[in-house]
Amino acid sequence: MKYDVKAFELLSNEEIADGIFDMRVKNDELAPLAKCGQFAHVYVPSKTLRRPISVCDSENGVLRLVYQVKGEGTKIMSQMKKGESVDILAPLGNGFNIEQGKRYCLIGGGIGVPPMLYTAKQTENPLVITGFRNKDLIILQDDFKNAGAELVLTTDDGSAGVHGFVTDVLKEKINEVDEVCACGPTPMLKAIAQVCKEFNKPCQISLEERMACGIGACLVCAVKVRKNGEEIMQHVCKNGPVFNAEEVVF
């Protein structure tokens, strides 16, 4: 895994939904190295710890990072202006393993939707299922359509798209795909893993955990996995964030 710390030029940083921002930063050396499912560690002025943000897209030296304002750090990020220099450690982690010739179902829930866009661009005719709490939080629908995806939108409250959960759609359409990749809240990932096990479909999941160093040195983002019949601890930032769903101990 090759990564480095570089200054990126901030090209834009716009709010695209309630509290959700679309940041685009340019660095011709590091941006092209990013693979789908990896993340960037963004330095925030006045804060000790960097903020891990999934790679939403990477094209022509531009890294696209879509994030949600959840605390002081991301609030400061949302106030950064075009032309500023952004200190970023990237690309980090192990992403999705995409095999040519397979049809994938890509599932994103909430702020777990952005990394599925770059993944969709690496596949042929993917089925993409996106889930949001309500219509005010919906993002990236046109981007997925432009990427050639078969797109299904769900909302918990029925204010847009299918009224229900992403797993409701998955159960209906899982036999149309060869493998599932997902990112989102842990309860959603657990439910997806159970459906895939029931239908005997391979499943890769991208876990969300609090991080500090981002490179596996501080041991903050530990998660329990099952390897060779034994339960061991691995780290989301270094061993993941993408894991085989069957190995994760929820």
Side-chain angles (χ1 to χ4, degrees):
M1 179 176 64
K2 182 180 179 181
Y3 59 84
D4 203 349
V5 178
K6 295 288 183 181
F8 284 67
E9 178 189 357
L10 180 53
L11 302 181
S12 62
N13 190 23
E14 301 175 352
E15 189 170 18
I16 57 174
D18 187 16
I20 300 176
F21 285 76
D22 184 347
M23 174 182 281
R24 305 191 191 209
V25 290
K26 184 174 179 62
N27 181 289
D28 290 324
E29 183 179 350
L30 288 188
L33 300 179
K35 295 179 172 58
C36 60
Q38 290 188 300
F39 67 96
H41 229 190
V42 181
Y43 173 73
V44 179
S46 80
K47 295 296 178 182
T48 302
L49 299 179
R50 294 174 180 267
R51 267 50 184 181
I53 309 294
S54 297
V55 173
C56 176
D57 201 359
S58 179
E59 188 174 8
N60 299 323
V62 177
L63 209 58
R64 186 178 182 185
L65 307 173
V66 174
Y67 62 96
Q68 186 172 27
V69 175
K70 291 186 175 181
E72 289 186 14
T74 44
K75 182 177 181 180
I76 293 172
M77 280 182 60
S78 72
Q79 297 167 346
M80 293 178 176
K81 304 298 183 184
K82 178 180 178 180
E84 289 187 28
S85 179
V86 185
D87 184 290
I88 297 178
L89 173 64
L92 296 172
N94 291 297
F96 292 106
N97 180 28
I98 300 300
E99 299 178 29
Q100 298 304 310
K102 282 187 173 183
R103 189 181 190 217
Y104 286 84
C105 175
L106 310 178
I107 306 176
I111 203 61
V113 169
M116 308 320 294
L117 176 60
Y118 194 26
T119 310
K121 290 187 173 184
Q122 314 307 313
T123 66
E124 292 289 334
N125 186 33
L127 167 64
V128 175
I129 307 171
T130 59
F132 302 92
R133 290 199 305 273
N134 57 60
K135 61 181 178 60
D136 296 327
L137 299 173
I138 295 172
I139 55 173
L140 304 178
Q141 300 300 287
D142 288 340
D143 296 87
F144 282 111
K145 292 175 184 176
N146 292 336
E150 176 189 350
L151 182 63
V152 181
L153 167 67
T154 72
T155 52
D156 295 352
D157 65 357
S159 55
V162 176
H163 185 187
F165 301 123
V166 293
T167 46
D168 298 330
V169 178
L170 177 62
K171 290 175 183 177
E172 293 179 2
K173 301 181 77 69
I174 194 168
N175 287 323
E176 300 177 16
V177 302
D178 301 303
E179 187 166 351
V180 176
C181 297
C183 182
T186 299
M188 184 196 85
L189 296 179
K190 181 179 180 180
I192 290 171
Q194 290 173 338
V195 172
C196 290
K197 184 176 182 180
E198 178 184 346
F199 285 86
N200 196 31
K201 294 287 184 179
C203 179
Q204 303 175 54
I205 55 175
S206 180
L207 299 180
E208 297 179 347
E209 289 288 341
R210 294 184 67 86
M211 294 182 188
C213 72
I215 57 174
C218 71
L219 312 182
V220 167
C221 59
V223 62
K224 187 179 292 186
V225 299
R226 189 177 292 105
K227 294 277 190 180
N228 300 319
E230 295 185 11
E231 292 186 1
I232 62 173
M233 302 303 292
Q234 290 195 329
H235 302 97
V236 172
C237 68
K238 183 179 181 180
N239 305 109
V242 177
F243 293 86
N244 181 334
E246 290 188 343
E247 295 180 346
V248 177
V249 179
F250 289 100

